[in-house]
Amino acid sequence: MSGRVVIVGAGLSGLACALHLAGAGREVTILERGDRPGGLAGERVVDGWRFDTGPTVLTAPDILDRTFAAVGERTADRLTLRRLDPAYRGFFGDAGPLDVRADPEDMAEYLRAECGPGDAEGYRRYAAHVAELYRLQIDDFIDRNLDTPRDLVTANLFGLVARGGFGRLAPLVDRHFRDERLRRLFSFQSLYIGLAPRRALALYAVISYLDAIAGVWYPEGGIHQVPEALAAAAVGAGVRIHYGSEARAVELRGDRAVAVTTATGERHAAGDVVLATDEGAALRLLGRPRARRRFRHAPSCAVVQLGGVDVPAGLEHHNIFFGRAWDRTFDDIIGGGRVMRDPSLLVTNPGRTDPADAGTLYVLAPTPNLDDGPDWRSRGDAYTGELLAVLAKRGLPLDAGSVRTVTTPADWADAGYDSGTPFSLAHTFGQTGPFRPGTRVRGLANVVRCGAGVQPGVGVPMVLLSGGLAARRVLGRR
C-alpha cells in the first residue's frame, strides 16, 4: 500500500495540511483543478487590473507563522506583511466616521477624544475580556479535533462559562460601549459566521478580538500571495502539486481509500486521502448521498470589483459604510430571503497600502445564500448599479472606471461552493465545536477533510488551523 497522502484541493486548508504532513516526513501529492493555488483566495487580472477574488482581511499572522514553521520556513522569507492602521474606518452618515486603530492604547485615547471617557474605559475592558476569551479557546476548542461533547470538558471550559462565553454577543458588546457606532464596529464580525450579533454566542467575540484588536494585516501583492507562498514552501519541501488535475472519484476498498482518480483518467495511489473541499464535492468524490442532516449555510455576498477608478479621498484600506438599519439588516439576509433594504457595505481600497493596486476598489454586500434568496442569474448588473447608487448617497461617488466585474451567489455556486456562499456553514450552536463536521470522515479509516465547512470554521486563520487538524488525523496525533 502506498504511503503517499493525496490531498484534493490547493486552497489554504489543503496547502496548510500539506506543509504539516511534509514537515512530518510524509510523501504528499496535491490535486488541484485550477491552474494555480488558492481556491477561494484566488486572483483575477482584467485589462491589467489585479483583484483578489476572495478574502481581503488577514488576521492572526502567528498562525501563518506556525504553518510555514512546519517545514522550517518563516513567513518573512516568503511574504511582506503590513499592519493596517487603522484596521477599519466606519462611516455612519451624519454621526461621523470612527476608526479602529491598530494599537489598543492609541485606540483608547482616540475613543476618549471621539466618544468620551466612558467608552474609552469600556474599550479597555472589552479588549482585555475578549483577549482572555481567545486564550481560553485557542488550544482546547479551536486548534483541536473535537469528536464528542465530552472533549469540551476541560478546565478552560469552566473559565469560558464563568466569563459569559455562552451568552450572546450583542449584550456583551453593549455592556462595554454606549456609542452605537462602537457597538456596530465590534459586532459586525458575526456576519463572518452567518449570525446576527443578538444570536451569536459571546465566545465568538474572539473574531472581534482578532479583527479589531489583535490587528489586520495585508500581504504585499494581495491576499492571493498567501497561497502562492504556501504552495512555494510546499514544493520546496517535496510536495508535488498537479494543477489542472480535477479529482473525479476516491477509489475505495472496504473502509479504506486506495487511490484518487482524475477527470483525465490518471490514478494516484494513496495511503491516506485528504479532501480540502466543501461537503458537496467531498460526497461526490466518495460516491455518497448527501447526509440526512441538513446543515444551515451562512449568508452569501455579492462582490463588485472596480478598476481604473479615481478613488475619492478619505478612504482607508478597509471601510464600512453602515446603513441606519441594523437588526433588520440581519433579518433580511439571514432567513429573510431578501437583499438588504438599507445595506451596510464593505469597501476595500488596497491602493491605500500597496501602490501597485492603486485605482482598484472592492465592494462587498452581504446577501442571502441560494437556499434562502432570489435567483441571481440575471440580477448581478442591476444590483451593482443599486450598490453604487447607495454609496453615492452616502458620500462616496464612484466614477465608472474602465473595469467592472460582479460576483453573485450564483457565481459562487458555479465555482463549487455549497448553497452559493463562500462562507460555508453558519456557526450556530448546533454547528460549533464537536457539533460541526469534524476532520474525520465517518466510516472510512483513512479519509479526512479540512476547510471552512469543518472544525474549527470560517476565516483565513481557521482554515489554516483546519489543515493542521487534518494532518494530525493522518499522523495519528491528538
Side-chain angles (χ1 to χ4, degrees):
M1 179 180 295
S2 169
R4 178 186 305 148
V5 181
V6 177
I7 299 174
V8 178
L12 292 173
S13 66
L15 292 167
C17 184
L19 287 171
H20 285 284
L21 291 172
R26 298 297 294 268
E27 181 184 356
V28 182
T29 295
I30 301 178
L31 305 178
E32 168 55 47
R33 67 178 180 175
D35 60 0
R36 60 199 308 183
L40 179 63
E43 183 180 66
R44 175 188 296 136
V45 178
V46 182
D47 295 342
W49 298 100
R50 193 206 70 82
F51 303 102
D52 283 314
T53 60
T56 63
V57 176
L58 176 65
T59 60
D62 60 302
I63 293 174
L64 193 58
D65 292 340
R66 280 188 272 161
T67 306
F68 280 111
V71 292
E73 294 213 22
R74 301 186 310 156
T75 303
D77 294 333
R78 296 283 182 179
L79 294 165
T80 299
L81 300 183
R82 301 180 185 176
R83 188 168 187 176
L84 303 184
D85 191 11
Y88 292 95
R89 173 164 289 173
F91 291 88
F92 300 89
D94 295 340
L98 272 184
D99 290 346
V100 177
R101 299 284 180 87
D103 178 73
E105 188 58 34
D106 181 33
M107 179 66 175
E109 291 308 309
Y110 168 75
L111 293 182
R112 185 178 301 278
E114 294 289 332
C115 306
D119 278 327
E121 293 309 310
Y123 168 78
R124 284 196 170 95
R125 293 194 305 274
Y126 181 77
H129 185 83
V130 296
E132 178 65 6
L133 289 180
Y134 182 74
R135 186 194 67 79
L136 290 169
Q137 293 182 67
I138 183 61
D139 291 330
D140 283 357
F141 309 120
I142 297 176
D143 191 17
R144 183 180 172 208
N145 283 305
L146 299 168
D147 293 325
T148 74
R150 290 191 300 273
D151 292 333
L152 295 174
V153 183
T154 70
N156 282 335
L157 174 65
F158 300 104
L160 195 57
V161 171
R163 287 162 179 78
F166 292 93
R168 298 296 173 181
L169 177 62
L172 170 65
V173 174
D174 290 353
R175 283 198 301 271
H176 289 86
F177 301 108
R178 296 183 63 184
D179 192 306
E180 182 62 28
R181 296 173 297 173
L182 292 174
R183 291 177 172 181
R184 296 188 181 191
L185 279 173
F186 287 97
S187 65
F188 80 87
Q189 295 87 355
S190 69
L191 263 180
Y192 297 161
I193 60 171
L195 297 172
R198 67 181 184 276
R199 299 194 181 279
L201 292 175
L203 57 85
Y204 282 118
V206 297
I207 305 175
S208 173
Y209 165 72
L210 292 175
D211 200 56
I213 295 170
V216 176
W217 305 75
Y218 187 73
E220 189 175 282
I223 295 289
H224 178 67
Q225 293 306 307
V226 174
E228 290 282 3
L230 292 171
V235 170
V239 175
R240 297 181 180 91
I241 306 179
H242 297 269
Y243 296 110
S245 186
E246 182 177 0
R248 179 59 56 86
V250 176
E251 184 181 328
L252 301 173
R253 291 180 190 168
D255 68 346
R256 298 192 67 84
V258 296
V260 179
T261 57
T262 69
T264 57
E266 295 176 333
R267 182 180 184 273
H268 296 267
D272 293 276
V273 172
V274 179
L275 303 178
T277 68
D278 267 12
E279 180 193 35
L283 293 175
R284 288 191 296 272
L285 289 168
L286 296 171
R288 290 183 169 186
R290 187 169 287 277
R292 292 181 185 176
R293 178 184 176 187
R294 180 65 176 172
F295 290 103
R296 175 179 161 189
H297 282 81
S300 185
C301 63
V303 175
V304 179
Q305 293 170 319
L306 305 172
V309 177
D310 184 11
V311 178
L315 286 186
E316 290 295 339
H317 190 113
H318 291 302
N319 309 271
I320 306 173
F321 286 80
F322 288 94
R324 292 182 180 274
W326 190 237
D327 289 341
R328 189 183 74 179
T329 293
F330 294 96
D331 293 338
D332 283 345
I333 61 176
I334 302 175
R338 63 171 68 91
V339 298
M340 296 176 288
R341 287 168 284 181
D342 184 14
S344 291
L345 305 173
L346 170 68
V347 178
T348 299
N349 172 31
R352 179 71 176 82
T353 305
D354 192 342
D357 286 329
T360 63
L361 288 177
Y362 174 114
V363 180
L364 184 148
T367 71
N369 62 41
L370 294 184
D371 294 336
D372 300 323
D375 181 7
W376 284 91
R377 291 294 170 192
S378 59
R379 190 169 184 177
D381 289 339
Y383 192 53
T384 297
E386 294 174 25
L387 296 179
L388 297 183
V390 167
L391 289 172
K393 289 180 181 177
R394 295 180 186 171
L396 186 67
L398 298 175
D399 59 74
S402 59
V403 171
R404 179 186 297 182
T405 70
V406 59
T407 305
T408 72
D411 298 309
W412 297 122
D414 290 344
Y417 297 99
D418 295 345
S419 299
T421 174
F423 302 115
S424 195
L425 303 184
H427 284 256
T428 60
F429 179 79
Q431 295 178 176
T432 294
F435 309 112
R436 193 175 186 84
T439 53
R440 174 186 293 139
V441 175
R442 301 292 181 186
L444 295 174
N446 64 336
V447 180
V448 299
R449 288 183 59 203
C450 57
V454 299
Q455 299 171 13
V458 178
V460 173
M462 299 302 119
V463 297
L464 292 173
L465 290 176
S466 181
L469 294 178
R472 289 183 215 169
R473 290 287 195 201
V474 172
L475 298 170
R477 299 174 184 168
R478 184 162 177 76

